[in-house]
């Protein structure tokens, strides 16, 4: 069976937009639900800072080793961007967004902190997108991910696609 692939930069850029959009909605919701705007802003900054720090300092890749990318097969099919986004949102983005929605009822400041976590995830995925785009530019190649086996990567020359 031929693999379905998507461009890594396209997925990460779209994920960044979705996460930052969810963060904005959750933040606005926290204020609408009664949180003091200044306190909500501190919660947003705190959540974003802690999340970004945790994601940037994650060293699981040291255990897993440097990911390898195989040459892109000729018979691949393109996975939809919607599928790539959905794959990237589960479970973390969806989980935090659901918690933010539920927390609106109980504690609007917690919603602001969770909005910050969503914003931190969005910022880190945007930075990751830029890093991949710069690597693609330096290597004159494009990086693809398998839509089924998410750890499988493919690379091809920019002039081929």
């Amino acid at each position: 069976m031929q693999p379905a692939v998507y461009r890594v930069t396209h997925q990460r850029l779209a994920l960044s937009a979705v996460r930052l959009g969810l963060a904005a909605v959750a933040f606005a919701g926290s204020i609408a639900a009664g949180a003091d705007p200044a306190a909500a802003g501190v919660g947003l900054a705190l959540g974003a800072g802690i999340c970004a720090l945790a994601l940037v300092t994650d060293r699981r890749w040291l255990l897993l080793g440097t990911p390898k990318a195989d040459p892109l097969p000729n018979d691949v099919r393109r996975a939809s961007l919607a599928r790539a986004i959905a794959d990237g949102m589960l479970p973390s983005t969806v989980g935090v967004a659901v918690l933010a929605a539920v927390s609106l009822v109980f504690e609007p400041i917690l919603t602001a902190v969770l909005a910050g976590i969503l914003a931190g995830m969005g910022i880190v995925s945007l930075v990751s997108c830029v890093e991949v785009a710069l690597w693609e530019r330096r290597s004159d190649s494009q990086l693809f991910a398998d839509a089924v086996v998410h750890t499988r990567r493919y690379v091809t020359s920019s002039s081929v696609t």
Side-chain angles (χ1 to χ4, degrees), residues 28-29 42 46-47 51 62 65 84 89 126 150 161:
V42 170
L46 181 67
C51 179
L62 290 172
M89 288 182 60
L126 187 59
H150 303 292
T161 57

Side-chain angles (χ1 to χ4, degrees), residues 4-95:
V5 299
Y6 55 84
R7 283 278 306 272
V8 172
T9 52
H10 295 171
Q11 183 219 29
R12 290 185 183 174
L13 184 60
L15 277 174
S16 298
V18 168
R19 289 170 175 159
L20 292 170
L22 287 170
V25 168
F27 180 68
S30 73
I31 294 171
D36 175 65
V42 170
L44 179 79
L46 181 67
I50 289 172
C51 179
L53 182 65
L55 291 174
V56 168
T57 59
D58 181 13
R59 297 294 179 221
R60 283 179 286 186
W61 61 272
L62 290 172
L63 298 172
L64 300 173
T66 304
K68 69 178 185 95
D70 297 321
L72 185 68
N74 292 330
D75 63 340
V76 296
R77 55 190 172 86
R78 298 293 173 113
S80 70
L81 184 58
R83 179 178 178 181
I85 294 169
D87 289 345
M89 288 182 60
L90 293 170
S92 57
T93 303
V94 171

